[in-house]
Amino acid sequence: MKILNFLLLAFLLAVSVACNKDDDAPCTDLGDTLIGSWSVTAIGLDLGDVEFKSDGTLIDPDDVLIGGEVGGVVLDEKSYTVNGNTSFNTKAEKGSNSTEVEYQVSSIKCDEISISILGIGATMKRN
């Protein structure tokens, strides 16, 4: 079964590499556009950088989008999920402890995504 999964993954990787993305295509799919490194700003302040990996991992060392601590345990295993083109969730966890935040998406451009939480807007610009 593992060999079959490996072969399927290898096939999908080969197909994705063979299909070139049109550079002039609009970035309308949040799931595809979100992958990469971003600088996050809100209310005129540079909050820091984050990286969305294609496997759902979120690299957010400065807790720009998500972070937390429960009973002295730092929630440093971070991930994200995309909910269509309207929002994405971030999750920080460690063991059985976790916290999750949902960000609303108001606009998607190739190099800029506008997000908000509890009515506070922020901008993510591609690095």
Side-chain angles (χ1 to χ4, degrees), residues 4-125:
L4 182 61
N5 286 342
F6 175 75
L7 291 174
L8 180 60
L9 180 62
F11 172 76
L12 292 174
L13 180 61
V15 168
S16 68
V17 170
C19 299
N20 289 333
K21 204 175 198 180
D22 184 0
D23 290 338
D24 296 328
C27 300
T28 57
D29 182 69
L30 179 61
D32 289 340
T33 305
L34 197 58
I35 296 169
S37 297
W38 300 86
S39 292
V40 182
T41 58
I43 57 172
L45 300 173
D46 180 14
L47 303 179
D49 296 335
V50 297
E51 182 179 356
F52 295 86
K53 301 274 191 174
S54 61
D55 66 357
T57 302
L58 173 63
I59 309 298
D60 185 3
D62 298 320
D63 299 338
V64 172
L65 295 178
I66 187 85
E69 186 176 322
V70 176
V73 176
V74 176
L75 307 178
D76 60 358
E77 298 167 6
K78 299 177 183 178
S79 60
Y80 73 96
T81 54
V82 175
N83 309 315
N85 280 341
T86 59
S87 67
F88 63 90
N89 290 39
T90 58
K91 185 175 185 178
E93 60 188 323
K94 185 75 162 198
S96 62
N97 298 312
S98 68
T99 186
E100 195 166 337
V101 175
E102 181 177 18
Y103 289 90
Q104 300 300 312
V105 175
S106 56
S107 74
I108 305 167
K109 297 178 186 172
C110 293
D111 295 325
E112 184 174 302
I113 299 176
S114 297
I115 60 174
S116 66
I117 181 169
L118 301 173
I120 300 171
T123 302
M124 299 190 333
K125 292 188 178 183

